[in-house]
Amino acid sequence: PTQSSFDWSASSDFSIELWCNATEVNGANVGLIGRAGSGSFTAWSLGVNSNSKANFHLQDNGSTIDLVSTITLVPGQWYHLSATRDGSSGLTQLYVNGNQHATTSATFSHGFVSTSDVTLGYLALEAGSHFQGKIDEVALHNSALPASTLASHYSAGIGGLGYCDGEPAASTIYTTPLGQGFVGDVYS
């Protein structure tokens, strides 16, 4: 859904993290979570690229970066993916299973403000970008989480505890019904 909470400016700090387990790799760029803007083009997404590597994409109508992991994600295995952005320094990082896999420093002039929906399991950029598998423990933070925190979240997850466990406040999830659905149907 469209939420102003995800309207990050060019100088905003933020982090995105989730667990994923692909049942199949289809050779397409797939979005696990993201927002593809309209009009003056902006986008952010955490996903898997066509080479089965974790990918963090940021784009405003002035700059674009793609951070790609060094390992190939294997279907049937759980992975903790996370990305952080420090808006003041421009430092942007991609982590897989608590380890940093890619980093860059980039300046964005327009930011990532959009009226488009935040999507889970696909990104409205190209056909075939639907993720086939499971996604769990999705979290978006209005801060650039340090590497030690991401490593701790990964360790808690493989130990059977989610990083949401034990916290007093539950997350708010916004949904928009798309109509009647049946198991196995693909929706666009």
Side-chain angles (χ1 to χ4, degrees):
T2 303
Q3 291 294 313
S4 60
S5 302
F6 310 121
D7 281 344
W8 296 311
S9 73
S11 61
S12 291
D13 295 346
F14 59 89
S15 299
I16 305 164
E17 59 181 328
L18 54 81
W19 286 87
C20 67
N21 181 338
T23 55
E24 177 179 325
V25 178
N26 62 10
N29 294 315
V30 297
L32 298 169
I33 186 167
R35 188 180 215 180
S38 58
S40 60
F41 194 73
T42 63
W44 59 264
S45 67
L46 182 59
V48 181
N49 72 12
S50 60
N51 294 319
S52 302
K53 296 182 183 289
N55 184 73
F56 181 48
H57 175 83
L58 283 178
Q59 179 176 353
D60 71 3
N61 55 359
S63 301
T64 301
I65 61 169
D66 280 288
L67 297 178
V68 179
S69 70
T70 56
I71 64 168
T72 300
L73 306 185
V74 177
Q77 292 185 19
W78 282 100
Y79 295 92
H80 180 253
L81 305 183
S82 49
T84 65
R85 168 96 177 137
D86 181 322
S88 60
S89 71
L91 185 63
T92 307
Q93 301 173 95
L94 173 66
Y95 294 82
V96 178
N97 293 343
N99 296 305
Q100 183 188 74
H101 275 251
T103 185
T104 192
S105 186
T107 302
F108 290 91
S109 55
H110 302 283
F112 314 101
V113 176
S114 175
T115 57
S116 297
D117 291 338
V118 172
T119 58
L120 187 62
Y122 79 100
L123 190 60
L125 284 179
E126 60 185 77
S129 65
H130 292 80
F131 177 71
Q132 297 178 29
K134 299 173 187 172
I135 300 172
D136 197 16
E137 297 279 335
V138 176
L140 293 106
H141 308 272
N142 284 326
S143 63
L145 296 179
S148 60
T149 299
L150 296 172
S152 173
H153 289 178
Y154 168 69
S155 295
I158 61 171
L161 298 174
Y163 36 84
C164 298
D165 291 346
E167 294 184 10
S171 300
T172 302
I173 298 174
Y174 301 90
T175 63
T176 303
L178 299 176
Q180 185 175 7
F182 300 95
V183 173
D185 284 354
V186 177
Y187 300 92
S188 57

